[in-house]
Structure formats: structure tokens, C-alpha cells
């Protein structure tokens, strides 16, 4: 990249998405590299049974680095491009993984996870931007959702690698698991040079001919005169010119109704964390032990949730562009609230206090009664993951990638991702002490937050499904409809394509007439 070599370029958008979303797999690998390890004897012994704030710091170190990574991702992406910014981030993953594998204490482990988090901060914000900018409007959701699937596959694969490594004696157990994180990064760096640059970024930096060529190769098998390519290019140019007149600096995030989009992009990512599903994703091993499951049974039970996660996100991949974003966000938040209330209520009514820690784990200080109460806790923890996988998990990333204008998209998405990571970090620090200090009440708090999120989604978020990125400008404008009156689809691009076809027909008839006169 930048070496003067001319490599073949892949234009099949689904293959492009699979390669690009290996950046999501990095995120998934790092999440479950801890999930499967934190309850093993090797980890607890070597790091002196970390609990409370210390375990919170280890768990949230990834998010701390991601806050920094996402903060610089926007300016970096605008400068060198979406694709190359992802490639740049990979070098920090290699360094961070090396630090983790060689760690001597939890301080070094935290440092390695911070470096990995820096990579995730860039990839988690710029991969959705890249995919949104190369996708057709009617397929954008299904393309961006591949990022969520990549995260989940990364979580599942790494979790069972960690589970398998748990049988290795000594520190080789977790060092081997963490070392395997090199593999997805290697394949991502290998594939990125073969991907096209974003046509919208090329247009933004004045490389119009390259932009049109990429747009044509993606949309119309290389035909630059295809009506869809012409219509979409004209729309990109129109919107880009309007944005250039809107000014620079921070004002472009608040002027002319942009504050609504800034608010939507950042809050949808905050609500994804505040909904509390990641408490289950990160710490289901703790919940399984609270429910009386031990050893391999607890580990496998926790691992099954990741398979459930993938299955239901995969189901949503088939329907994401046929269902409105608002519908999924509102009903998803309400469904998650119900699950949180059931888990918290059953835990609160049917538990024994274990001050010394269940199984010697100082993070788990209550034991849910066996039988129906324990089974209900596990069942509704799974159900919460199902609802999350169908709704907020994919849709929050899709929505955050859609709401920005071309001039603000890279930096705006990095701001949205930074919002996600700030709350991820805060919850990562809060959750282990909360398991100790307020136990079951933690789930009641998340239930209340989910209800609040549903109200927020209904009041403030217009429907973006089926609209071009340029049409979404109108939805957030001062003259745009109320969010609750918007519907999916109804894109004006179809009419613009027909207008281009009609214009080309007239031009052709004029040429024929002039030729006959000659």
C-alpha cells in the first residue's frame, strides 16, 4: 500500500466485506480471550486472584485503548483513507498481542490490552464507514451486519480456543490462547491491499475518475455510463458541494441540523452499552457459577451463548434490510428490559450470600438456588442474548454508520465509536465491583436503562432503512419529518435512476436525429 505495486482489486462487495470485517474478528478474539480465561486456576493463581477494581481494570483495558483509537480514527481515515487506516491499526495489534503473551504481571497484561484496544478503536469505527460507503442503499444493512457476525465468530472461536487451552498446565495455558490472536490480524493485513478504496472518500479528496471507476465496478460491472452509477455519482457530488459550503471544524457537527445526527450517532452507541448485554457476553461464566454450574459444565454453558449469538445475528442478516431500524431498536430494548428484570428478580428472590466467594472466586458472592430459579436465570440470560443479537447488536452499528454526512462520516463515526468505548470502559470498571456490592440489583438497573433507551429511540431516531446516505441528510434537516412518522424504503434514488435513463434516451434520440440530418 503505497509501495508502487499494482495489485488486482476485489469488487465483489460481500468478499470485500468478509476481508474488511476481520477487523471485527480482532475485537471478538480479544473479548473472549479473557472470558474463557478469567475463571481458570492458572489465571487466578498467576495473577493472584484478581477481583473487584483490578479485574475491572483488566477487563476494561481494551475499552480504554479503544477510546484513544476511535478518537484519532476519523482524522486519520480522512487523511489516508478508510482502508489504509485499518491497515495502520493492525501494527498496534501485533505489538499489543506480543506484550500480552510475554506478560509478567497484571500491569503488563493491562498495557497489552490497551494497545489491542487502540487497534479495535480504529477498526470498529472505520470498517462500518467503509462498508456503508461501498454498499448499495438497499443492501447496506446486510453488508454492515457482516461486521457484527465477524465479531461474534471471533468471540466464539477464541472462547473455545481458551477453553481448550485451559487444560494446558501453567502459564502456557493463557499465553497460547493470547498468542493465537496474531492469526486474524495476519489475514486482515494480507487481504486489505486487494480491496478498493471507498468511492466517497476518493470523491472527497478530489480523485473523481478513480471514484467513478470504483463506483462503476462495484455497482455495474465497470460500466461508468450505467444509469445507477450516473445517478449516484450526481447525488454524491451535489451533497459534497453543499457540505463544502457548510464550513469546517467542529461547527459542521452542529450547524444546519447536524447536531441531531451527532446526537443520534453518539447516543445509539452509548445505548448499546447501557443496555447491559455485554455484561452477559463478558461475564456469563460468573452468572453460570452463581447458578451452581461448575468446571466444564459452566464453561460449555457459557460458550453456547456465543453460538446462539451467531445463529440469531445470522438470521437477522437475511432480514435486516426488510425491517426498519426503529422497529428493531425500540422492541429490542423492551425485550432486553424484560429479560433483565426476570434475571434480577429471580436472583433477588432466590439466593444465598457467599461472602468468601463461590468456588473461591471473590467476584461471585451469591449463589442462586438450584432447580427452577437457577434454570430461569440461565434461560433468560440466553434469551437476552437472542434479543440483543436480533436487534441492538447489529442495528446500533448500522445506524451509527448511516446517519453522518460525507464530510463528517469518518470523524463522526469515530465519535460514535468513542461514545461506545467510553461507556464500555465505564461498565467494564463498574461491573466486577457491582457483582460484589449490589449483586442482583445490577440487572434491575440495566432493565430500567433499556426501557429508557426504547423511549429515546422512538422519540429521536428517524428511519434510515432503504435510504441512500445522501437522502438521510433530509431526514435530519430542519424540514425533515418527525422521527415517528418516517418509514423504511421510499428512496428517491429509483426516481433519479429513471430520470437519468430518460435523459439518456432523449440525448440518444437527438444524436440520431442530428445524424440523419447530416
Amino acid at each position: 500500500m503505497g509501495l508502487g505495486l499494482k495489485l488486482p482489486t476485489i469488487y465483489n462487495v460481500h468478499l470485500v466485506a468478509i476481508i474488511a470485517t476481520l477487523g471485527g474478528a480482532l475485537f471478538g478474539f480479544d473479548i473472549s480471550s479473557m472470558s474463557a480465561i478469567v475463571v481458570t486456576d492458572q489465571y487466578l493463581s498467576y495473577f493472584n486472584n484478581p477481583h473487584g477494581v483490578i479485574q475491572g481494570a483488566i477487563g476494561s483495558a481494551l475499552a480504554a485503548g479503544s477510546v484513544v483509537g476511535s478518537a484519532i480514527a476519523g482524522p486519520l481515515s480522512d487523511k489516508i483513507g478508510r482502508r489504509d487506516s485499518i491497515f495502520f491499526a493492525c501494527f498496534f495489534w501485533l505489538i499489543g498481542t506480543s506484550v500480552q503473551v510475554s506478560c509478567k504481571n497484571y500491569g503488563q497484561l493491562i498495557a497489552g490490552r490497551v494497545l489491542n484496544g487502540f487497534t479495535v478503536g480504529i477498526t470498529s469505527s472505520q470498517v462500518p464507514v467503509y462498508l456503508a460507503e461501498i454498499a448499495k442503499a438497499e443492501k447496506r444493512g446486510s453488508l454492515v451486519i457482516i461486521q457484527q457476525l465477524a465479531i461474534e465468530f471471533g468471540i466464539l472461536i477464541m472462547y473455545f480456543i481458551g477453553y481448550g487451552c485451559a487444560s494446558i498446565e501453567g502459564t502456557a495455558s493463557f499465553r497460547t490462547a493470547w498468542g493465537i490472536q496474531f492469526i486474524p490480524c495476519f489475514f486482515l493485513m494480507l487481504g486489505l491491499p486487494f480491496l478498493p478504496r471507498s468511492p466517497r472518500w476518493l470523491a472527497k479528496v478530489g480523485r473523481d475518475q478513480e471514484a467513478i471507476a470504483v463506483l462503476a465496478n462495484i455497482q455495474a460491472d465497470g460500466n461508468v455510463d450505467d444509469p445507477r452509477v450516473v445517478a449516484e455519482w450526481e447525488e454524491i457530488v451535489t451533497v459534497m458541494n453543499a457540505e463544502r459550503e457548510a464550513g469546517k471544524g467542529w461547527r459542521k457537527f452542529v450547524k444546519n441540523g447536524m447536531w441531531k445526527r451527532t446526537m443520534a450517532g453518539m447516543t445509539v452507541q452509548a445505548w448499546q452499552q447501557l443496555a447491559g448485554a455485554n455484561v452477559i457476553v463478558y461475564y456469563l461464566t460468573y452468572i453460570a457459577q452463581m447458578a451452581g454450574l461448575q468446571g466444564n459444565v459452566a464453561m460449555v454453558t457459557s460458550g453456547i451463548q456465543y453460538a446462539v449469538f451467531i445463529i440469531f445475528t445470522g438470521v437477522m442478516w437475511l432480514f435486516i434490510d426488510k425491517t426498519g431500524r426503529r422497529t428493531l431498536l425500540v422492541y429490542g430494548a423492551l425485550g432486553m428490559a424484560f429479560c433483565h428484570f426476570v434475571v434480577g428478580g429471580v436472583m433477588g428472590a432466590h439466593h444465598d450470600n457467599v461472602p468468601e466467594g463461590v468456588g473461591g472466586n471473590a467476584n461471585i458472592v451469591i449463589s442462586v438456588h438450584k432447580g427452577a430459579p437457577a434454570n430461569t436465570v440461565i434461560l433468560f440470560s440466553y434469551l437476552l442474548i437472542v434479543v440483543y443479537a436480533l436487534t441492538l447488536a447489529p442495528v446500533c452499528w448500522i445506524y451509527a454508520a448511516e446517519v453522518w454526512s460525507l464530510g463528517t462520516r469518518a470523524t463522526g463515526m469515530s465519535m460514535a465509536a468513542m461514545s461506545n468505548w467510553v461507556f464500555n470502559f465505564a461498565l467494564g470498571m463498574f461491573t466486577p465491583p457491582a457483582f460484589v456490592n449490589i449483586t442482583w440489583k445490577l440487572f434491575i438497573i440495566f432493565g430500567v436503562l433499556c426501557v429508557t433507551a426504547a423511549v429515546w429511540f422512538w422519540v429521536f431516531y428517524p428511519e434510515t432503512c432503504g435510504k441512500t446516505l445522501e437522502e438521510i441528510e433530509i431526514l435530519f434537516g430542519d424540514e425533515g419529518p418527525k422521527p415517528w412518522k418516517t418509514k423504511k424504503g421510499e428512496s428517491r434514488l429509483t426516481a433519479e435512476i429513471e430520470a437519468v435513463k430518460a435523459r439518456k434516451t432523449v440525448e440518444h434520440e437527438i444524436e440520431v436525429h442530428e445524424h440523419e440530418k447530416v
Side-chain angles (χ1 to χ4, degrees), residues 177-189:
W178 294 339
I180 289 172
Q181 293 179 113
F182 285 116
I183 295 174
C185 186
F186 169 77
F187 283 108
L188 177 60
M189 296 181 80

Side-chain angles (χ1 to χ4, degrees), residues 39-117:
V39 293
T40 62
D41 292 337
Q42 298 94 316
Y43 173 86
L44 294 173
S45 174
Y46 189 77
F47 294 105
N48 195 27
N49 197 6
H51 60 279
V53 173
I54 292 176
Q55 181 56 44
I58 293 171
S60 61
L62 175 77
S66 297
V67 171
V68 180
S70 56
I72 75 156
L76 178 70
S77 179
D78 281 337
K79 180 70 175 177
I80 67 174
R82 310 341 182 188
R83 185 193 69 178
D84 292 359
S85 64
I86 298 167
F87 191 86
F88 168 79
C90 290
F91 290 103
F92 290 88
W93 183 270
L94 299 178
I95 298 169
T97 300
S98 300
V99 172
Q100 288 184 67
V101 170
S102 63
C103 70
K104 304 295 184 184
N105 49 56
Y106 68 75
Q108 191 177 344
L109 174 59
I110 290 171
R113 284 178 57 75
V114 167
L115 287 169
N116 278 19

Side-chain angles (χ1 to χ4, degrees), residues 35-36 152 155-157 159-160 163 280-281 284-285 288 293 296-312 378-379 381-383 385-386 389:
S35 298
E152 293 164 17
I155 292 172
L156 177 70
I157 293 168
Y159 182 86
F160 280 105
Y163 172 62
I280 308 291
V281 173
L284 188 59
T285 47
L293 303 179
N296 287 338
V297 176
M299 294 285 281
V300 172
T301 299
S302 301
I304 289 172
Q305 69 143 337
Y306 300 130
V308 170
F309 209 160
I310 289 172
I311 290 168
F312 283 93
I378 294 297
L379 174 63
S381 294
Y382 277 153
L383 187 57
I385 291 299
V386 169

Side-chain angles (χ1 to χ4, degrees), residues 287 291 338-339 341-347 350 368-384:
I287 296 169
F338 179 73
C339 294
F341 288 139
V342 171
V343 171
V346 171
M347 278 186 172
H350 303 279
V368 179
H369 297 164
K370 292 183 179 181
N375 292 338
T376 300
V377 166
I378 294 297
L379 174 63
F380 276 87
S381 294
Y382 277 153
L383 187 57
L384 188 145

